[in-house]
Amino acid sequence: MKLLEDRIRAEGEVLPGGVLKVGKFLNQQMDPKLFYAMAEEWKRLYEGVEVNKILTIEASGIGIAAIVGLVFGCPVVFAKKSKTSNVTGGVWQTIVESFTHGVTNTVIVGREFLQPGDKVLIVDDFLANGAALEGMIDLVRQAGAEVAGAAIAIEKAFQPGGEQIRKTGVRVESLARVAAMDPETGVEFVK
Ligand code: 5GP
């Protein structure tokens, strides 16, 4: 999606260690107009696919997911990162290793929010090694619900997550696919 690629080129910052900082429009500071355009693009891409629920993971997916929920006309659920493993009953839970923070989180969703028969579109800001998305897929399947697809803002296509997850048959639509990035030369997109 050209609009998103242009913003990344103009305002993104490549940090050493393979992290793309997009705090000016996507993470810390958010541009709701951009999110709305992104949500409309996913709506177009997923036309004809049944979706009745949006799932994301805290924290940085929530802003985008809220706008996606508005455009798709369905509720938005977010998985919570809980550092304790002795979580009480009534939740689906899985373990996710965080790419940016280098820690492992137990991630939970209340059982009432994901149910058999739900057709879930999973939303996230980044797809890198795939741990966050795999975790959310796991939560959906534990609930007996179905993954309608994934809606990712920025896929770092030089990391293995996207390919691995597509191979399992899950549809992944990423609006900007980064082929390579470097603190000196910036970001190059998949053509
Ligand atoms: P994965 O689990 O696919 O390795 O990484 C995805 C998660 O890590 C996303 O939820 C995102 O929050 C974070 N992440 C991964 N790579 C980057 C990056 O380059 N920049 C930022 N800002 N977040 C990232």
Side-chain angles (χ1 to χ4, degrees), residues 48-189:
V49 177
E50 200 186 334
V51 172
N52 76 322
K53 203 162 275 182
I54 308 297
L55 175 68
T56 189
I57 185 166
E58 69 175 1
S60 48
I62 297 175
I64 303 169
I67 307 279
V68 175
L70 181 71
V71 167
F72 277 73
C74 59
V76 179
V77 176
F78 66 93
K80 293 180 173 228
K81 288 173 187 163
S82 151
K83 293 217 166 52
T84 52
S85 51
N86 59 336
V87 193
T88 54
V91 295
W92 307 113
Q93 69 178 71
T94 193
I95 289 174
V96 172
E97 201 178 313
S98 163
F99 176 81
T100 38
H101 299 106
V103 295
T104 297
N105 290 301
T106 299
V107 169
I108 60 169
V109 170
R111 291 191 179 202
E112 67 191 292
F113 301 121
L114 277 184
Q115 305 218 322
D118 278 340
K119 313 264 191 264
V120 183
L121 180 66
I122 300 174
V123 172
D124 208 0
D125 58 343
F126 276 89
L127 171 57
N129 288 333
L133 183 50
E134 273 166 10
M136 286 189 276
I137 293 169
D138 184 29
L139 291 171
V140 171
R141 293 192 173 148
Q142 284 182 44
E146 244 174 73
V147 178
I152 303 293
I154 305 171
E155 177 178 346
K156 288 149 79 189
F158 56 89
Q159 288 185 242
E163 198 186 329
Q164 274 168 17
I165 290 165
R166 287 185 183 96
K167 259 193 210 153
T168 69
V170 172
R171 180 171 172 189
V172 179
E173 296 289 355
S174 307
L175 301 185
R177 302 187 72 222
V178 177
M181 59 186 209
D182 181 273
E184 299 289 308
T185 53
V187 177
E188 205 181 292
F189 294 100

